[in-house]
Amino acid sequence: MYVTPPNATRPVTAPVWWQVLGPGSTALIGFFMLTVIYRFDGESEIQRDLGLSSLFLLVAGLVAYLAGVALGAVPGLLLGARFPTAVAVPASCFLVFGVLLVAFADAGALLTAGRVLSGLGTGAAAGATVALIVKLREGRGAAGGVTAGLAVLALLLGPVIGQLISEAVGFRPVHLIAVPFLLVALVVNAVLGIVRLSAAKRTVPQPGYPGGPWQPGGAA
């Protein structure tokens, strides 16, 4: 008689490339938002509208964001490969709240808080993306190269697109426009999480099912 050992655990399967799409999409939007408040030819619209000094914009706009990225990257790297949805969904929510705070900021305090929250979301999503890519068994190089290239493109496009929109309608719509894209990324992460959970359940042998390693007729 074969009995399932009490210490048997569900096997941990390696991630596949499509799982990178969830946290990766959130991270790319986050990288875009990192540089969208700047412009290549001088003072940004948000600096002018809020009456900020260049030093304050550097601290609140860049340093605060990067500090959030560093903090968010830790749980992303540690948990992202095992629980990508549990990391990416809150990361997307942090980014939504962060960009909304910046969009409605009327002073430096809200701007700083919004940039920190956005950085946390970006860091967590980016960390989860890296963790998933490292664990890929196939296509790791291609996934890493494409993701890195898109991240650089997002960073470069931020000031260009941000300048075009902010010159026409101000800096606030730039951030409000990002919200629908983040909500789409949130839905993508949730759907991919459901698909991943369903796939994991199908691969786990059930008690009494012939062919499992602990059932009669299964592999020893």
Side-chain angles (χ1 to χ4, degrees):
M1 178 178 179
Y2 290 83
V3 181
T4 303
N7 61 344
T9 57
R10 177 178 292 185
V12 178
T13 57
V16 292
W17 67 268
W18 52 264
Q19 293 176 3
V20 179
L21 298 176
S25 60
T26 300
L28 290 176
I29 299 173
F31 286 132
F32 177 85
M33 300 311 298
L34 170 60
T35 57
V36 77
I37 66 172
Y38 298 98
R39 54 190 295 169
F40 292 121
D41 61 349
E43 189 180 60
S44 68
E45 298 297 327
I46 192 170
Q47 180 181 358
R48 184 181 301 113
D49 289 353
L50 297 184
L52 306 175
S53 66
S54 298
L55 178 60
F56 189 91
L57 183 65
L58 175 65
V59 174
L62 181 62
V63 176
Y65 202 109
L66 293 179
V69 169
L71 290 174
V74 175
L77 289 170
L78 294 178
L79 304 174
R82 189 75 182 271
F83 309 105
T85 304
V87 174
V89 168
S92 300
C93 293
F94 275 123
L95 261 167
V96 170
F97 292 135
V99 298
L100 285 176
L101 281 179
V102 176
F104 294 105
D106 57 358
L110 283 180
L111 172 64
T112 305
R115 296 293 283 178
V116 171
L117 283 177
S118 298
L120 285 171
T122 302
T129 303
V130 172
L132 284 169
I133 292 175
V134 170
K135 294 292 185 179
L136 289 178
R137 290 181 179 175
E138 297 179 355
R140 184 186 306 169
V146 170
T147 303
L150 290 175
V152 173
L153 183 62
L155 290 170
L156 294 176
L157 286 178
V160 176
I161 296 177
Q163 179 177 341
L164 291 174
I165 298 176
S166 61
E167 283 183 346
V169 292
F171 77 90
R172 301 181 193 277
V174 176
H175 290 77
L176 293 176
I177 290 171
V179 173
F181 291 97
L182 286 169
L183 293 178
V184 170
L186 183 61
V187 172
V188 169
N189 278 295
V191 170
L192 291 181
I194 294 172
V195 173
R196 181 175 182 269
L197 183 61
S198 300
K201 287 182 177 179
R202 287 197 299 268
T203 59
V204 177
Q206 299 298 321
Y209 183 84
W214 302 102
Q215 284 77 43

